[in-house]
Amino acid sequence: MKALEKWIQKAVTIKNLAIFLTIIYCLSILPVLWVAKYNFPGADDYTNGLRCYQAWNTTHSLLAVLKEAIGRTVFEYTSWRGCFTSSFLSALPPSVWGERWYGMTTLIIILSLTASILYFVFCLLNIVFKADKYSCLSISMMILILLVQCLRPGERTELLYWYSGAINYAFIFSLELFFLGALIKAACNKDKNTIRHLIPVSVLGFFVGAGNQMSSLNALIIVFTVIFFITIFKKWKEYGRLMIPIGFCIIGAALSYAAPGNWVRAQSSNMMSPVKAILVSFYCCLDLSASKWITWPVILLMAAMIPVFWNIAQKVDFKFPCPIFPLIYGYCLTSAMFTPSLFSLGNIAAGRIQGLTYWVFILMLALCVGYVTGWAQKKFQKNERSAELHSHSLSLDSSCWVLYCIGLLGFSSIITVIPEPSYYTVTSAIRDMMNGSAAGYGQEMESRVEIYKNGAGQEIVVDPLKNYPELLFFNDISGDTEDWINLGVAKYYGLDSVSIK
């Protein structure tokens, strides 16, 4: 028995845990990326990318494409929406350079999400709490597994595969994490030339503030929280320089919210009063977190984080006071993600809206688990401090706990995906490939594109799709030539009209 305990403690270290989780994460996203090669544009991709697609096919000039993207941004700013960062990026789907490039959408989102989580967690845990790189990597990988693999059907499509939804929500969320991480780094940087380092952070903050309204509001709440704490603790002399990037973030948001296009769009939607939108946001967050978001993979991976956070807390002098306040703040911050959609649209039905809020929920839950774990460590082990500040070892109890959580997660996953093959994003991707729906969908869409390109100026009627892969299919044209999606496809390819038989 002692030999087994010794082996477990030797095998289950923070370093080995980080390596194991990184391998699992990397392997799990390979099918997710591979199935994307069968992906094709849909819905808003045609209307948003119209100008740039035509500019590229006419001139093959990158400068002309960028000019059209800026023109589209100006048009939307005055006629539809003020988030000009999102408008500019939405005008540049990969399909502008050819439909087969559209599959790059998923790669762009996965890379940006992975890099931003790693950067943010490293800046927070390593720079602020002096955590070692393997602890940061372990926490990052567990968060990423939950973000990518535990999205619900519909949310996966709109955040990972449909460009107009993914670039507007998932990519802007990644930019926000880069901005917050850079803000933390700037706050801890004692370099005399720190003003020079604030320039890229300020530029990033400006564009995050002008991103989608959910991430923009999220960033504003955080930066005003920073201002509040700087003020009450009278730290303006030490941290006053942070007002430069914070100010740019506020300016970007102000320009976005003041756009004439927002008021034009509001006339065609069921707006909710601000007070009601805030109250309903709290309800929606509570309801979804209790009924949909807190699943057993979330519980097990959050539990597996506890020994890592405990190990980090042992190495710092910070006392982690008032643990109830981070929990309340995290709940409020997550709830606020719903408010812009409820205020402007009157609902949160879109998968991308719920999926993005789920991402914020998971990130805030992980940070709250870390804070409460730190409080517990200081509360119950007041006089204990890690002998080896840079040790990657865990206690026997902690090693057994991590092994139990990861083992139970693996066993539960196996018995779950048998009756529910689409439970995880990776298993859904494997299913779409194995049943042939992804490849069949790709062939059907490729045939359609060929018909579109050869039918300029004609009335095109195409066959209905036979394949509907769960991850790739978002929506389709209809039998009505005046449907907005049909009109978008027709303008994109220069057709007189297009419809389904």
Side-chain angles (χ1 to χ4, degrees):
M1 190 65 179
K2 289 185 177 180
L4 178 61
E5 292 177 350
K6 186 177 180 180
W7 178 85
I8 290 175
Q9 191 169 9
K10 184 178 180 181
V12 185
T13 63
I14 293 178
K15 180 179 179 180
N16 290 344
L17 177 65
I19 295 172
F20 172 76
L21 290 171
T22 302
I23 292 172
I24 293 297
Y25 175 69
C26 291
L27 290 177
S28 70
I29 63 173
L30 290 180
V32 176
L33 295 172
W34 183 260
V35 75
K37 73 175 186 174
Y38 302 112
N39 203 9
F40 276 82
D44 298 74
D45 294 327
Y46 293 109
T47 53
N48 291 334
L50 170 64
R51 286 183 169 187
C52 293
Y53 175 79
Q54 293 178 344
W56 177 253
N57 283 279
T58 303
T59 65
H60 283 84
S61 167
L62 180 60
L63 187 61
V65 171
L66 294 177
K67 181 180 177 181
E68 291 298 334
I70 294 173
R72 172 72 184 181
T73 304
V74 173
F75 168 77
E76 288 207 339
Y77 187 81
T78 56
S79 306
W80 189 243
R81 59 175 178 169
C83 43
F84 49 86
T85 303
S86 298
S87 294
F88 178 79
L89 294 172
S90 297
L92 293 167
S95 51
V96 163
W97 291 273
E99 286 76 9
R100 298 307 301 175
W101 286 101
Y102 190 76
M104 293 294 293
T105 298
T106 309
L107 180 63
I108 294 169
I109 298 305
I110 293 291
L111 287 179
S112 62
L113 179 65
T114 303
S116 62
I117 288 291
L118 287 168
Y119 180 74
F120 174 76
V121 171
F122 180 86
C123 288
L124 180 62
L125 298 185
N126 177 266
I127 297 177
V128 179
F129 294 101
K130 311 305 178 184
D132 63 273
K133 61 182 180 181
Y134 292 114
S135 295
C136 296
L137 186 58
S138 297
I139 298 298
S140 297
M141 288 299 118
M142 285 188 269
I143 291 173
L144 283 167
I145 289 171
L146 291 174
L147 296 188
V148 176
Q149 300 302 335
C150 295
L151 281 169
R152 292 179 295 166
E155 298 171 358
R156 301 164 182 169
T157 303
E158 295 187 35
L159 283 180
L160 300 178
Y161 293 93
W162 180 47
Y163 180 83
S164 289
I167 206 69
N168 189 12
Y169 290 86
F171 187 76
I172 298 297
F173 173 72
S174 298
L175 291 185
E176 181 191 359
L177 290 180
F178 278 122
F179 169 65
L180 296 177
L183 205 60
I184 293 171
K185 192 173 182 180
C188 298
N189 187 2
K190 305 301 181 181
D191 190 352
K192 293 181 179 179
N193 296 322
T194 189
I195 298 298
R196 174 172 55 86
H197 299 149
L198 290 178
I199 294 176
V201 188
S202 301
V203 173
L204 188 57
F206 177 76
F207 289 115
V208 167
N212 73 77
Q213 293 181 342
M214 295 171 67
S215 294
S216 175
L217 178 59
N218 188 270
L220 285 179
I221 293 173
I222 293 172
V223 297
F224 278 115
T225 303
V226 172
I227 295 174
F228 172 76
F229 280 109
I230 291 176
T231 302
I232 64 170
F233 288 114
K234 300 178 180 180
K235 296 288 186 178
W236 280 105
K237 185 176 181 181
E238 187 174 354
Y239 297 110
R241 63 186 183 280
L242 296 182
M243 280 307 299
I244 297 175
I246 287 175
F248 273 93
C249 180
I250 296 172
I251 291 171
L255 291 175
S256 174
Y257 295 159
N262 292 334
W263 306 107
V264 175
R265 188 176 187 178
Q267 303 304 315
S268 61
S269 61
N270 298 317
M271 294 183 66
M272 189 179 289
S273 70
V275 175
K276 184 178 179 180
I278 293 171
L279 295 176
V280 174
S281 295
F282 282 113
Y283 163 74
C284 290
C285 180
L286 185 63
D287 179 59
L288 284 171
S289 60
S291 62
K292 301 289 178 62
W293 292 342
I294 304 181
T295 58
W296 54 263
V298 172
I299 294 172
L300 289 174
L301 282 178
M302 290 296 166
M305 292 181 192
I306 292 175
V308 182
F309 281 126
W310 188 279
N311 200 51
I312 293 172
Q314 285 181 319
K315 303 171 185 177
V316 297
D317 294 323
F318 186 66
K319 302 302 180 182
F320 299 92
C322 306
I324 190 65
F325 288 113
L327 297 176
I328 295 173
Y329 183 79
Y331 171 57
C332 293
L333 193 65
T334 305
S335 299
M337 294 291 289
F338 286 132
T339 306
S341 299
L342 289 169
F343 172 68
S344 59
L345 303 175
N347 68 81
I348 56 166
R352 55 194 176 275
I353 294 174
Q354 295 191 22
L356 181 60
T357 309
Y358 164 77
W359 280 1
V360 174
F361 170 78
I362 291 297
L363 188 57
M364 294 308 302
L365 182 60
L367 296 180
C368 287
V369 167
Y371 194 96
V372 173
T373 301
W375 169 82
Q377 194 280 325
K378 299 303 179 185
K379 179 78 172 178
F380 299 107
Q381 292 191 353
K382 294 181 179 179
N383 299 320
E384 292 190 20
R385 187 175 175 88
S386 177
E388 298 181 38
L389 295 182
H390 301 288
S391 174
H392 300 143
S393 63
L394 295 168
S395 67
L396 176 61
D397 290 340
S398 295
S399 296
C400 290
W401 177 254
V402 171
L403 186 62
Y404 171 78
C405 292
I406 299 299
L408 183 58
L409 177 62
F411 173 76
S412 302
S413 297
I414 292 172
I415 63 174
T416 299
V417 298
I418 294 174
E420 295 186 55
S422 299
Y423 190 83
Y424 294 114
T425 305
V426 59
T427 55
S428 181
I430 293 172
R431 183 189 188 191
D432 283 347
M433 289 189 290
M434 290 185 67
N435 63 21
S437 63
Y441 173 78
Q443 291 173 359
E444 289 182 284
M445 290 302 296
E446 195 168 1
S447 299
R448 279 192 184 182
V449 169
E450 192 68 25
I451 294 172
Y452 295 156
K453 289 183 175 180
N454 293 327
Q458 302 177 28
E459 296 180 356
I460 301 298
V461 181
V462 297
D463 293 322
L465 293 172
K466 297 178 181 178
N467 295 278
Y468 299 92
E470 185 180 63
L471 287 182
L472 305 184
F473 180 77
F474 177 57
N475 57 23
D476 196 12
I477 59 174
S478 67
D480 180 10
T481 57
E482 296 302 312
D483 183 87
W484 72 273
I485 299 178
N486 294 47
L487 293 173
V489 174
K491 290 179 181 179
Y492 195 85
Y493 291 104
L495 310 175
D496 186 57
S497 67
V498 64
S499 62
I500 287 181
K501 283 183 182 177

